[in-house]
Amino acid sequence: MSVVTSGRYTFPNYNLVFFIFLQLGLHSVEGVWPLPQSITSSPERYPLNPQAFYFTYGSQSAAQEGCSVLDEAFKRYFSLIFPDYSSGRFYSEVKFLQWKNENTLSVSAGQAYLKAETVWGALRGLETFSQLVYQEDFGSYYVNKTEIEDFPRFQFRGILLDTSRHYLPVQAILKTLDAMAFSKFNVFHWHIVDDPSFPYQSRTFPDLSAKGAFHPMTHIYTQLDVRRVISYARMRGIRVLPEFDSPGHTQSWGKGQSDLLTPCYSGSTPSGTFGPVNPILPSTYKFMATLFKEVSSVFPDSYIHLGGDEVNFSCWKSNPDVRAFMLKMGFGADFTKLEAYYMENIVNLTAALNRTSIVWQDVFDYHERHNHMLAPDLILLHIWKGVPASYEAELRAITKAGYRVLLAAPWYINHISYGQDWRNYYTVQPLNFSGTEEQKKLVIGGEVCMWGEYVDATNLTPRLWPRASAAAERLWSDEKQTSDVDKAFPRLKDFRCELLRRGIQAEPLFVGHCKHEYQGV
Amino acid sequence: MSVVTSGRYTFPNYNLVFFIFLQLGLHSVEGVWPLPQSITSSPERYPLNPQAFYFTYGSQSAAQEGCSVLDEAFKRYFSLIFPDYSSGRFYSEVKFLQWKNENTLSVSAGQAYLKAETVWGALRGLETFSQLVYQEDFGSYYVNKTEIEDFPRFQFRGILLDTSRHYLPVQAILKTLDAMAFSKFNVFHWHIVDDPSFPYQSRTFPDLSAKGAFHPMTHIYTQLDVRRVISYARMRGIRVLPEFDSPGHTQSWGKGQSDLLTPCYSGSTPSGTFGPVNPILPSTYKFMATLFKEVSSVFPDSYIHLGGDEVNFSCWKSNPDVRAFMLKMGFGADFTKLEAYYMENIVNLTAALNRTSIVWQDVFDYHERHNHMLAPDLILLHIWKGVPASYEAELRAITKAGYRVLLAAPWYINHISYGQDWRNYYTVQPLNFSGTEEQKKLVIGGEVCMWGEYVDATNLTPRLWPRASAAAERLWSDEKQTSDVDKAFPRLKDFRCELLRRGIQAEPLFVGHCKHEYQGV
């Protein structure tokens, strides 16, 4: 199984199918989050002896020792399952792995098989297995006899972190990646730069962070940091989708790159302030081509997020050169055409780099107005606006036009409110819009967005978990089997306690307690 | 100055007045939160050499070395001011203290005096001084020439933590006490037990926690834990006000104390469920007398909080014995009279123990209806209900009846919402009700309440700080000088960064960054 190809990796198959056949067990369905597509468990349980337990590759398995993703996962899940045995003398005796079609695995009296089409599916199966094991009061580990068949409902299950409004230390990002894997999220959407700061340290344009970051040394992501995040994510089956949002949301870019932003005018003279990226200069596109060439070499994912949201036209309108350009291009006074022109240029740049562009819904909304659309294979639309009625209409319109679409609008998890708001995230039905089966298939998934206006490393984790896990189940599990939010509650409560046991500072859902409370104060 | 008296301590004077005269300095008014009553600073600044800096008692000072509260505070504030020098060789060279009326203190080129009427005032002054010192990029410490006169506007500045709906590890409580001292809070209201759990391990009634805690071993507060909290708080000038709320909110009490709660009836037979404390049995009052005798020996504070809120009468109504008692007592069908009867008995019990009772406003509201009031010197009312109009009317009514009052209603900080809700806490005006000067004097302070339905150690600190600090300034500082919430914003932002530097996981107020970001992930 070839995973790494010339410095990049691809996820060979989105529609992961994997199986766990446990001749061992399952404590109760309460223990697994998100809910598998099919799970049969019995009260028959087997003790697990950490000193005799090991993971090993099946002899028929295409992957064998040396497959770093699984080798590492075996170590990781051994420690997660048996935290008391994660180091010391027993550790060295453990031979990792069990990914086989036959019957030679010895886990105390029993054995377990995990079949998966891809290594990424095997990772999800290991996560499921780890949630089946439980420890009783006197310290013994058990697993019940269980059969599971599983696959994700949606192929794209993302979380957005915003590292521009507040800087997040790399450690906070890695911790989030850990927790994402526990909920089977598979895309980290890194909204890495925006108006307030530009923490990405570019090889080609070092001034962007030197002048645009909150601090040029302590509040940046070096190339090494970025590689570390990508590698850490990959080991957990998580893609890293970078966003370099333009032409709006670029105030911080202007500090390190002169002539990039549009000079705003007050009457007939420049006011000294700047607006969105200047779409009329050839130098802009030259800069963007160079930047995105670097970005596509740094971030191996086949998608790049180009933003395209919330462009304020007032500065463009104020600028006489922009107005002259508009006339020349025949755009009249319709600045949405100017934005469309800009975005098309940027999309074409990244297409030439063999990347698929993701853009916020604004780009579709603008284009739709003047019937001048980018080809559906070039872009993927990202819905972020509004109340259900509004995002449902948008889902319908975008898929009707033949575009693939990602839903984020109902999962703006930075919008906190008092009480059990996870229920709102859980009860979203992404395909609940009128459209054909073909249209529904264009909804490739959803994303939980944690915008950073009020969030940094101090409150990121408790705001994200377990609230994001509610969306994770919606994106992974069968809709019919997970239609009852009250039934989900005790299972999510248990899962949140498991997050605590694993060192994730996940906040409580309601009154109660966990066996292992958070000790990190 | 006698602070410790026969195993108990008292705070000798609530109306603390203290002075800091710094022949040294202040970096900018932005640096001090809550705002002192009077502060004059100049751009003239002095370097502080940590290796030569020490605190020492003035020769005229009533307190001298051996005063443990100040001895410890000198160590603590030295470490807070100079975190890089808090251990190692320089530490042992430091002679603690500077609390003098004369001129021999050497802090590099300058000297600073702190005059205070009480040791508690001296603690506040040390906190203020610590906020005046700042460090520049190359590591040097400075303080500007400053004169400050200061005292608190309200004598009671409290924070409520709820350790029943979720258990808070002792470490989380101690961390909160640290942060409270930084904002000059002086009362920790420990809502220690409630319906969901009874974590207080009673010497006299060990079954209360053995059967009523979430877990009898891991989710309790031992006598040692309680002493540790009280002692830690005292060292920081913080009183510990215990609340044993009854007759409602006592479901967990019933697990370890039979016949305490009222058996509810379904028609003519007991339903098997229980309601509030049974107010008709002599055994109830005997139990309460014994419990509160223990509580008053464990908690030295002169106040005890008795609760008295949200009593649901339906169970009492269902019980034929309670109904018979009502008739016998001439209460008719007015169950507020039964609650009044119960609360009077409990208040009298604690009065006999030389304690002043604090009760929630419900007790006043009930009593008012039948003109049968407890004497104003016996109780203090605690307002928790509702919107401004409602708590202002309550302030007016309670003070008109001559009772002292505490305001909590506008500071239910567990009620989160998106955005800068600290502004709501800041703009509260506790004396903005129609009443005489005498009435206003009866408002002894306010309290920030962090109820525990959705809060445990995972999210307590970022939810509490810096939002609670907004209320702290309202309770400490002059109303007129702090009427502009926008002006307060940059100072609170700076203070929040200082909290981070001190290891408090305080969440951000808005987009931006701190020099020292939170590293505890």
Side-chain angles (χ1 to χ4, degrees):
Chain A
M1 172 163 299
S2 169
V3 182
V4 178
T5 317
S6 65
R8 297 177 45 198
Y9 64 91
T10 54
F11 285 65
N13 185 347
Y14 254 135
N15 194 21
L16 303 179
V17 180
F18 64 90
F19 305 89
I20 307 180
F21 293 117
L22 292 170
Q23 301 305 325
L24 308 170
L26 195 181
H27 139 233
S28 69
V29 176
E30 277 72 46
V32 186
W33 190 280
L35 191 69
Q37 301 293 335
S38 151
I39 179 165
T40 315
S41 63
S42 101
E44 194 178 336
R45 73 177 190 176
Y46 307 93
L48 295 185
N49 177 0
Q51 299 179 43
F53 181 95
Y54 60 97
F55 294 111
T56 184
Y57 293 87
S59 62
Q60 309 278 311
S61 167
Q64 292 292 341
E65 207 171 319
C67 168
S68 60
V69 169
L70 289 179
D71 286 354
E72 290 298 315
F74 296 157
K75 290 189 207 176
R76 213 165 54 237
Y77 278 103
F78 185 87
S79 300
L80 286 171
I81 294 170
F82 308 113
D84 305 335
Y85 294 84
S86 60
S87 61
R89 69 188 187 90
F90 303 119
Y91 193 71
S92 60
E93 288 173 37
V94 174
K95 296 246 177 62
F96 300 111
L97 195 281
Q98 117 202 20
W99 193 48
K100 49 168 58 176
N101 296 319
E102 53 199 85
N103 228 6
T104 57
L105 173 65
S106 70
V107 183
S108 286
Q111 45 196 290
Y113 312 104
L114 169 62
K115 284 206 237 177
E117 288 188 8
T118 68
V119 291
W120 319 113
L123 289 179
R124 309 294 170 235
L126 285 167
E127 174 57 40
T128 303
F129 176 75
S130 75
Q131 294 187 22
L132 295 177
V133 181
Y134 55 99
Q135 189 177 22
E136 290 211 329
D137 281 348
F138 294 104
S140 302
Y141 291 94
Y142 292 94
V143 66
N144 286 42
K145 185 173 162 68
T146 307
E147 293 210 9
I148 288 174
E149 192 171 330
D150 207 359
F151 54 85
R153 180 180 178 204
F154 291 104
Q155 66 182 278
F156 188 114
R157 305 177 303 281
I159 287 195
L160 174 149
L161 295 184
D162 169 1
T163 57
S164 174
R165 291 178 176 85
H166 285 98
Y167 178 79
L168 295 173
V170 171
Q171 201 51 47
I173 296 174
L174 302 186
K175 196 85 176 175
T176 302
L177 292 168
D178 279 334
M180 283 174 68
F182 301 154
S183 286
K184 299 190 170 75
F185 281 103
N186 69 344
V187 181
F188 165 38
H189 175 175
W190 195 349
H191 188 87
I192 191 167
V193 298
D194 203 301
D195 282 328
S197 75
F198 196 104
Y200 172 74
Q201 189 175 45
S202 164
R203 292 189 298 239
T204 328
F205 303 104
D207 273 357
L208 288 171
S209 63
K211 297 182 180 167
F214 283 133
H215 188 284
M217 305 298 283
T218 58
H219 287 63
I220 58 167
Y221 302 105
T222 64
Q223 291 290 315
L224 194 66
D225 290 335
V226 172
R227 277 203 298 276
R228 193 165 161 221
V229 167
I230 292 169
S231 155
Y232 197 91
R234 176 178 171 273
M235 289 310 244
R236 285 152 185 79
I238 297 169
R239 309 161 62 126
V240 179
L241 167 66
E243 177 176 357
F244 286 80
D245 188 352
S246 75
H249 291 278
T250 50
Q251 287 294 301
S252 69
W253 304 39
K255 295 183 183 169
Q257 184 67 20
S258 56
D259 301 329
L260 178 64
L261 303 186
T262 309
C264 313
Y265 276 65
S266 180
S268 59
T269 51
S271 68
T273 63
F274 295 87
V277 163
N278 194 332
I280 70 169
L281 301 180
S283 61
T284 290
Y285 300 100
K286 202 176 150 206
F287 165 82
M288 288 293 182
T290 312
L291 179 67
F292 280 110
K293 191 174 171 196
E294 173 182 326
V295 167
S296 69
S297 78
V298 171
F299 293 89
D301 204 81
S302 61
Y303 290 144
I304 290 185
H305 204 302
L306 300 179
D309 58 317
E310 298 186 303
V311 182
N312 183 333
F313 295 143
S314 60
C315 181
W316 281 351
K317 281 181 191 167
S318 78
N319 183 302
D321 299 330
V322 174
R323 289 199 306 266
F325 184 84
M326 295 278 289
L327 288 179
K328 191 184 110 189
M329 298 296 286
F331 295 161
D334 185 355
F335 283 85
T336 68
K337 291 185 177 167
L338 182 58
E339 203 216 330
Y341 165 84
Y342 172 83
M343 289 308 294
E344 281 170 34
N345 276 304
I346 303 297
V347 166
N348 288 333
L349 285 178
T350 52
L353 295 162
N354 242 335
R355 291 296 188 275
T356 304
S357 298
I358 304 184
V359 291
W360 296 107
Q361 70 179 84
D362 312 47
V363 176
F364 174 82
D365 299 347
Y366 288 152
H367 280 76
E368 205 189 22
R369 278 161 55 171
H370 37 85
N371 276 320
H372 184 267
M373 293 288 291
L374 287 152
D377 59 324
L378 285 181
I379 59 167
L380 199 152
L381 278 306
H382 202 163
I383 298 181
W384 66 275
K385 285 185 186 173
V387 289
S390 136
Y391 72 70
E392 282 164 9
E394 191 80 4
L395 279 165
R396 193 169 58 241
I398 290 175
T399 55
K400 197 169 178 191
Y403 291 88
R404 288 166 293 171
V405 67
L406 261 178
L407 184 62
W411 292 304
Y412 264 39
I413 207 161
N414 55 306
H415 288 151
I416 53 169
S417 59
Y418 187 65
Q420 297 201 29
D421 58 358
W422 69 272
R423 290 168 181 267
N424 305 332
Y425 305 128
Y426 193 80
T427 49
V428 171
Q429 294 305 350
L431 301 187
N432 193 16
F433 63 92
S434 59
T436 64
E437 277 311 298
E438 284 312 300
Q439 277 177 260
K440 308 270 164 121
K441 281 183 191 152
L442 293 170
V443 181
I444 68 161
E447 191 175 88
V448 171
C449 294
M450 184 59 95
W451 294 102
E453 282 84 351
Y454 302 101
V455 175
D456 69 7
T458 61
N459 56 358
L460 171 66
T461 305
R463 285 202 182 189
L464 199 46
W465 310 108
R467 292 160 76 230
S469 305
E473 178 149 300
R474 180 55 51 235
L475 293 169
W476 180 278
S477 307
D478 180 67
E479 185 176 321
K480 288 195 191 69
Q481 292 181 60
T482 55
S483 58
D484 186 340
V485 63
D486 290 325
K487 238 172 104 184
F489 178 61
R491 195 161 38 85
L492 185 55
K493 247 179 114 164
D494 282 0
F495 179 66
R496 181 255 167 178
C497 287
E498 178 62 18
L499 291 177
L500 284 195
R501 197 183 67 91
R502 297 183 182 195
I504 305 297
Q505 194 178 345
E507 69 180 18
L509 294 162
F510 196 53
V511 173
H513 78 292
C514 293
K515 190 171 163 186
H516 304 275
E517 299 287 1
Y518 180 68
Q519 296 296 339
V521 182
Chain B
M1 171 163 300
S2 169
V3 181
V4 179
T5 318
S6 62
R8 298 180 42 199
Y9 64 91
T10 55
F11 286 65
N13 185 348
Y14 254 135
N15 196 19
L16 306 177
V17 181
F18 63 92
F19 306 89
I20 307 178
F21 294 117
L22 293 171
Q23 301 304 323
L24 308 169
L26 193 181
H27 140 231
S28 70
V29 176
E30 277 73 46
V32 186
W33 189 281
L35 191 70
Q37 301 293 337
S38 150
I39 179 165
T40 315
S41 62
S42 101
E44 194 177 336
R45 73 177 191 176
Y46 306 93
L48 295 185
N49 178 359
Q51 300 180 44
F53 182 94
Y54 61 97
F55 293 111
T56 185
Y57 293 87
S59 61
Q60 310 277 310
S61 166
Q64 292 292 342
E65 207 170 320
C67 167
S68 60
V69 169
L70 289 178
D71 286 354
E72 291 298 316
F74 296 156
K75 290 188 206 176
R76 214 164 54 238
Y77 277 102
F78 184 87
S79 299
L80 287 170
I81 295 170
F82 308 113
D84 306 334
Y85 294 84
S86 59
S87 59
R89 68 187 189 90
F90 303 119
Y91 192 71
S92 60
E93 290 173 34
V94 173
K95 297 247 179 61
F96 298 110
L97 190 290
Q98 116 204 18
W99 193 48
K100 49 166 62 175
N101 296 319
E102 53 200 83
N103 229 2
T104 58
L105 174 67
S106 70
V107 182
S108 285
Q111 45 195 289
Y113 311 105
L114 169 61
K115 285 207 236 177
E117 287 188 9
T118 68
V119 291
W120 319 112
L123 289 178
R124 310 291 170 236
L126 285 167
E127 174 57 40
T128 303
F129 176 75
S130 75
Q131 294 187 23
L132 296 177
V133 180
Y134 55 99
Q135 189 176 21
E136 290 211 330
D137 281 347
F138 295 103
S140 302
Y141 291 93
Y142 292 93
V143 66
N144 286 42
K145 184 172 162 70
T146 307
E147 294 209 8
I148 287 174
E149 191 171 332
D150 207 359
F151 53 86
R153 181 180 176 205
F154 291 103
Q155 67 181 274
F156 188 114
R157 305 176 303 281
I159 286 196
L160 174 150
L161 295 184
D162 169 1
T163 57
S164 174
R165 291 177 177 85
H166 286 96
Y167 178 79
L168 295 173
V170 171
Q171 202 50 48
I173 296 174
L174 302 185
K175 196 83 175 176
T176 302
L177 292 167
D178 278 334
M180 283 173 67
F182 302 154
S183 285
K184 299 190 169 78
F185 281 103
N186 69 344
V187 180
F188 166 38
H189 175 175
W190 194 349
H191 188 86
I192 192 167
V193 297
D194 203 299
D195 283 327
S197 76
F198 195 105
Y200 172 74
Q201 189 175 44
S202 164
R203 290 192 297 239
T204 329
F205 303 104
D207 273 356
L208 288 171
S209 63
K211 299 183 178 169
F214 283 133
H215 187 285
M217 304 298 283
T218 58
H219 287 64
I220 59 167
Y221 301 105
T222 64
Q223 291 289 316
L224 194 64
D225 290 335
V226 172
R227 278 203 297 275
R228 193 165 162 221
V229 167
I230 292 169
S231 155
Y232 198 91
R234 175 177 172 271
M235 287 311 229
R236 285 151 185 79
I238 297 169
R239 308 162 63 128
V240 178
L241 167 66
E243 177 176 357
F244 286 80
D245 188 352
S246 75
H249 291 278
T250 49
Q251 287 293 300
S252 69
W253 303 40
K255 296 183 182 171
Q257 183 67 19
S258 55
D259 300 330
L260 178 65
L261 303 187
T262 309
C264 313
Y265 276 64
S266 179
S268 60
T269 50
S271 68
T273 64
F274 295 88
V277 163
N278 194 332
I280 70 168
L281 301 179
S283 61
T284 291
Y285 299 100
K286 202 176 150 205
F287 166 81
M288 288 292 183
T290 312
L291 179 67
F292 279 110
K293 191 174 171 196
E294 173 182 326
V295 168
S296 69
S297 78
V298 172
F299 293 89
D301 204 80
S302 62
Y303 289 145
I304 290 185
H305 204 301
L306 300 180
D309 57 320
E310 297 186 302
V311 183
N312 183 333
F313 295 142
S314 60
C315 183
W316 281 351
K317 280 181 191 167
S318 78
N319 184 303
D321 298 331
V322 173
R323 289 199 305 267
F325 184 82
M326 294 278 291
L327 287 178
K328 191 184 110 189
M329 298 297 285
F331 294 161
D334 184 354
F335 283 85
T336 68
K337 290 186 179 165
L338 183 57
E339 203 217 329
Y341 165 82
Y342 172 83
M343 289 308 295
E344 280 171 33
N345 275 305
I346 304 297
V347 167
N348 288 335
L349 285 178
T350 51
L353 295 162
N354 241 336
R355 292 294 188 275
T356 304
S357 298
I358 304 185
V359 290
W360 296 107
Q361 70 179 85
D362 312 48
V363 176
F364 175 82
D365 298 347
Y366 288 151
H367 280 76
E368 207 189 19
R369 278 160 55 173
H370 37 85
N371 276 320
H372 184 267
M373 293 289 293
L374 286 152
D377 60 325
L378 285 181
I379 59 168
L380 199 151
L381 278 307
H382 201 163
I383 297 180
W384 66 276
K385 286 184 187 175
V387 291
S390 137
Y391 72 70
E392 282 164 9
E394 191 80 5
L395 279 165
R396 191 169 59 241
I398 290 174
T399 55
K400 197 168 178 192
Y403 290 88
R404 288 165 295 170
V405 67
L406 261 177
L407 184 62
W411 292 304
Y412 263 39
I413 207 161
N414 54 307
H415 289 153
I416 53 170
S417 59
Y418 188 65
Q420 298 201 29
D421 59 357
W422 69 272
R423 290 169 182 267
N424 304 333
Y425 305 129
Y426 193 79
T427 50
V428 172
Q429 295 304 350
L431 301 187
N432 192 16
F433 63 91
S434 60
T436 63
E437 277 312 296
E438 284 311 302
Q439 277 177 261
K440 309 268 165 126
K441 281 184 191 151
L442 292 171
V443 181
I444 68 161
E447 191 175 88
V448 171
C449 294
M450 183 59 94
W451 294 101
E453 281 85 351
Y454 302 101
V455 175
D456 70 6
T458 61
N459 57 358
L460 171 66
T461 306
R463 284 202 182 190
L464 199 46
W465 311 107
R467 293 160 75 231
S469 305
E473 179 149 301
R474 180 56 50 235
L475 293 169
W476 179 280
S477 307
D478 181 67
E479 185 177 322
K480 286 196 191 71
Q481 291 181 61
T482 55
S483 57
D484 185 340
V485 63
D486 291 326
K487 237 173 105 185
F489 179 60
R491 193 160 39 86
L492 185 56
K493 247 179 112 164
D494 282 359
F495 179 66
R496 181 254 167 179
C497 287
E498 178 62 17
L499 290 177
L500 285 195
R501 197 181 68 90
R502 297 183 182 196
I504 305 298
Q505 194 177 347
E507 69 180 19
L509 293 162
F510 197 51
V511 173
H513 78 291
C514 294
K515 190 171 164 186
H516 304 276
E517 298 287 0
Y518 179 68
Q519 297 296 338
V521 182

